[in-house]
Amino acid sequence: MRSVTVTGPGQISVETVPDPTLTGAGDALVRVSSAAICGSDLHFYDGDLPFFPVAVGHEVIGEVVEVGADVRRFRPGDRVLVASVAGCGDCVGCATGDPVTCVQGPKVFGSGELGGGQSELLAVPAADFQLLRIPDGVDDEAALLLTDNLGTGWAGAQRADIPPGGTVVVLGLGAVGQCAVRSALLQGAGQVLAYDPVAGRRDLAAKGGAVSVDGPLHDAVMAATGGRGADSVVDAVAIDATIDDAFNVVRAGGTVSLIGVHDMNPYPLGALMGVYRSITLRMTTAPVHRTWGALVPLVQHGRIDTGGLFTHTFDLDDAAAAYAAVGARGSDCIKARFVL
């Protein structure tokens, strides 16, 4: 089968590798029909996570082609989406719907431990836990967002402790940030101030109901809140600069929800200063499975908009061009997917 592999910083190869096989009675084999590039994949591509070569991709939809003897909920022919973060499915942690709390430890597809989803086939462990049959009324793009980005944005907003009518700042307006904007509004925010250095991304957030913030962030937030600061900040970037910005614009007693990937070493000074202002800091990888109960009906009934985020479609053989487009982080390419 073909599989997209990062072989070094900025280097993408489409390798021909052996087809995966089932290794456990609870596994399933999925023929991938579409897979998306996530901002997290860029950490390999940019060289921030220098583990090469690595087969990448953790946002996957497709068709079940084979199941192990212990799989009860799925059969060959089922169209499914695959949760990006995997757990054992049997422990007290997974019972909460959050594989991050799996007793055996969570695993992410396309990060070295499990197969990469930007491939023609994907072996899925604990299939009864990992898979969700694609519901009626959920198109392919929405299904791909439900594997990761939408759940991450939703959980990021939830963990920001947004008070009814409160002011939320979202930092970083890639696909996850855009989902956080839409989620925060649906969860009761009075206003969402959306910031990104790329004007086109701010414009997209404004179409989703946010107030685009251009110019000095601190001044804009203070002007919008009467000098008090935001009730909640969702940081969908998580570099030193944005973490410092988050703590600079959140009000005393507010909450910073960190959903970007960052090594946080050394710990940013702004976060340390938050101790003196009674600021709550939450960091998370999304409990994707747990978000499905709320998000699937919201998508089905059009209560949350999933449109406008996928801007580019590529063939798997054009993976190098796809990564170059997403890696540019411009306004013309918010999110790309492969169609197989």
Side-chain angles (χ1 to χ4, degrees), residues 4-8 11 13 15 44 49-56 110-112:
V4 177
T5 303
V6 182
T7 57
Q11 299 175 20
S13 176
E15 306 281 348
F44 295 104
L49 297 175
F51 308 117
F52 308 119
V54 59
V56 286
S111 62

Side-chain angles (χ1 to χ4, degrees), residues 169 217-218 221-222 228-230 233 244-251:
V169 174
L217 178 63
H218 181 271
V221 174
M222 294 305 146
R228 189 183 186 204
V233 180
D244 284 342
D245 282 340
F247 280 90
N248 284 333
V249 302
V250 71
R251 65 168 172 81

